[in-house]
Amino acid sequence: MRAVAAEEQAKAERPEPLGLYVHVPFCASTCAFCAFYQVTPTAESVKCFVNCLSAEGGLVGWDRPLSTVFWGGGTPGLLSAADLGRLGDVVHSIPGGAAPAEWTVELAPSSVTKERLAALRSAGVTRVSLGVQSFRPALLEALGRAHTRERVYRAYDRAGFASVNLDLMFALPGQTASEWEADIDEAVSLAPDHISTYCLTFEEDTALWVKLSQGRVRLDTENEARMYERTWERLGAAGYEQYEISNFARAGHQCAHNVNTWRMGEWAGLGPSAASQKGGWRGSNIADLSKWAVLVGRGERMTEDRTALTPALLAEDALVFGLRMNQGVDLGRLRTRCPDAPWGRVGALIDRLAAEGLVALDGPWVRLEPRGRLLADSVGSEIMVAFAPPAAAVAC
Ligand SMILES: C[S@@+](CC[C@H](N)C(=O)[O-])C[C@H]1O[C@@H](n2cnc3c(N)ncnc32)[C@H](O)[C@@H]1O
Ligand code: SF4
């Protein structure tokens, strides 16, 4: 009894993390690879966005202070300094939103200016994430990026936040392994606190996807695997610890907001297309600025893909996403949190994956081996099948 009471008291003193994600749906142009929801901004649409965001914030039941805030997009850094200040006020007006421990803003290097950075600093932003993608001029052009290599340097020199991340992409059409290594080395030479390395996904209806379906570019999975391995070696040797398939950080610089989502914590998403997971529900806002504004005006949010979070669904996702983290998953804790999941089938699968050298077991912990990390998507699919009701598992 005493142990339970102590645990309850500890929980009350140190509540579970709560994140806030804000989707800022504006970009100056559309990159060849990108499927995130975004439109070209106008004075009218930006005004509507900021006002409706404030209204949407009023629809959420904020039951504890925010631990992290993440403004993604789109390109939040495209808003004027004054609009960034207004967006900051929306966060401050949320109960418990005065001073989150981590506040990240995604910036495209082409939109970084002193005025915008000053507005972000005075709002309380602690971390910026620069979408570099590559330092090679030809690749930047092929991706449809609006910045040059020089612009990245200028943006990085000006940034000056407690934590700075650089986003890089690999397995790009025409990119060689040595070009990729040169990009990694150039990013490392800037000494950021965090580096995200994303393997190109051909998202439906993007310009690159059209080229792939027309046979004008092709997939090269062997080259992709080689690039993954080189990334781990090179960034590890440079002092960046890998903590998730695509993410590397110096000590103390992991992205707490993303870690909370991968650990299946709670967050509220505001803005068109933003996803939320809170109060036993998961769902997304509609990916359309005008329709989102109408729905918010009616007091409605999270209208798309609304799903009740059953213990089995939470366990499945905690395992699929938790395994993408190098620390892995504490299966003992997960079983206690979600005792009703099909642990017999899942346990048998994990034993098989261990026998195949894809995962390692260490007491209650399970984590991906390097070969498992290369096959993380298919390991994730197998876990989903093991969690599915038997009839669905047979149908798959
Ligand atoms: C939501 S985007 C926004 C970043 C910001 N607007 C910019 O472009 O600088 C965040 C990151 O996701 C990555 N990303 C977006 N689409 C991708 C894709 N199809 N494949 C791999 N990475 C992708 C890029 O590295 C990008 O910087
Ligand atoms: S990658 Fe960034 S700048 Fe490019 S279209 Fe996507 S959100 Fe906009």
Side-chain angles (χ1 to χ4, degrees), residues 36-99:
F36 288 95
Y37 172 67
Q38 46 86 14
V39 292
T40 310
T42 60
E44 194 59 26
S45 60
V46 171
K47 192 170 164 205
C48 160
F49 170 69
V50 178
N51 290 341
C52 293
L53 204 74
S54 176
E56 191 184 2
L59 301 177
V60 178
W62 303 102
D63 52 359
R64 56 196 193 273
L66 293 177
S67 346
T68 59
V69 174
F70 196 109
W71 289 357
T75 310
L78 200 62
L79 297 183
S80 67
D83 285 326
L84 289 171
R86 286 184 195 106
L87 214 55
D89 291 342
V90 173
V91 174
H92 299 151
S93 70
I94 285 172

Side-chain angles (χ1 to χ4, degrees), residues 9-255:
Q9 191 183 343
K11 260 193 186 169
E13 283 165 10
R14 199 165 25 85
E16 296 290 319
L18 175 63
L20 165 66
Y21 174 74
V22 175
H23 190 83
V24 183
F26 302 115
C27 290
S29 56
T30 304
C31 301
F33 54 87
C34 185
F36 288 95
Y37 172 67
Q38 46 86 14
V39 292
T40 310
T42 60
E44 194 59 26
S45 60
V46 171
K47 192 170 164 205
C48 160
F49 170 69
V50 178
N51 290 341
C52 293
L53 204 74
S54 176
E56 191 184 2
L59 301 177
V60 178
W62 303 102
D63 52 359
R64 56 196 193 273
L66 293 177
S67 346
T68 59
V69 174
F70 196 109
W71 289 357
T75 310
L78 200 62
L79 297 183
S80 67
D83 285 326
L84 289 171
R86 286 184 195 106
L87 214 55
D89 291 342
V90 173
V91 174
H92 299 151
S93 70
I94 285 172
E102 179 191 276
W103 183 341
T104 302
V105 176
E106 283 183 344
L107 299 173
S110 56
S111 63
V112 172
T113 63
K114 274 194 259 172
E115 295 71 24
R116 286 172 171 141
L117 292 173
L120 295 176
R121 248 177 239 119
S122 74
V125 168
T126 63
R127 183 174 184 274
V128 294
S129 176
L130 286 175
V132 174
Q133 323 311 351
S134 174
F135 292 92
R136 307 301 105 199
L139 288 177
L140 288 173
E141 200 180 319
L143 294 177
R145 296 297 290 177
H147 65 260
T148 59
R149 176 172 175 273
E150 291 65 36
R151 197 65 207 241
V152 172
Y153 279 81
R154 193 150 25 117
Y156 185 83
D157 287 344
R158 282 178 173 170
F161 282 80
S163 208
V164 177
N165 169 58
L166 302 184
D167 279 347
L168 297 178
M169 291 175 70
F170 67 97
L172 303 172
Q175 183 186 38
T176 63
S178 54
E179 279 176 331
W180 170 232
E181 287 177 52
D183 269 346
I184 297 175
D185 292 347
E186 196 156 349
V188 166
S189 72
L190 289 172
D193 307 289
H194 188 288
I195 300 181
S196 298
T197 57
Y198 296 115
C199 180
L200 172 68
T201 308
F202 286 88
E203 299 284 356
E204 211 171 317
D205 291 338
T206 59
L208 280 181
W209 182 83
V210 171
K211 278 191 178 173
L212 182 72
S213 43
Q214 291 171 343
R216 290 158 62 203
V217 296
R218 61 184 186 88
L219 291 170
D220 183 347
T221 46
E222 270 180 34
N223 200 28
E224 204 175 277
R226 204 172 315 125
M227 289 184 180
Y228 261 121
E229 286 170 338
R230 299 268 174 93
T231 311
W232 303 337
E233 287 159 18
R234 247 177 157 76
L235 287 178
Y240 292 89
E241 193 188 344
Q242 183 179 22
Y243 68 101
E244 195 267 347
I245 298 254
S246 308
N247 288 284
F248 301 77
R250 292 188 186 284
H253 287 278
Q254 292 187 4
C255 177

Side-chain angles (χ1 to χ4, degrees), residues 250-293:
R250 292 188 186 284
H253 287 278
Q254 292 187 4
C255 177
H257 182 86
N258 286 339
V259 168
N260 180 44
T261 62
W262 296 323
R263 288 283 178 223
M264 292 299 119
E266 291 199 317
W267 75 94
L270 305 182
S273 84
S276 300
Q277 177 162 289
K278 192 172 180 310
W281 289 91
R282 178 186 293 169
S284 296
N285 287 344
I286 193 160
D288 181 300
L289 182 58
S290 319
K291 289 182 182 161
W292 165 76

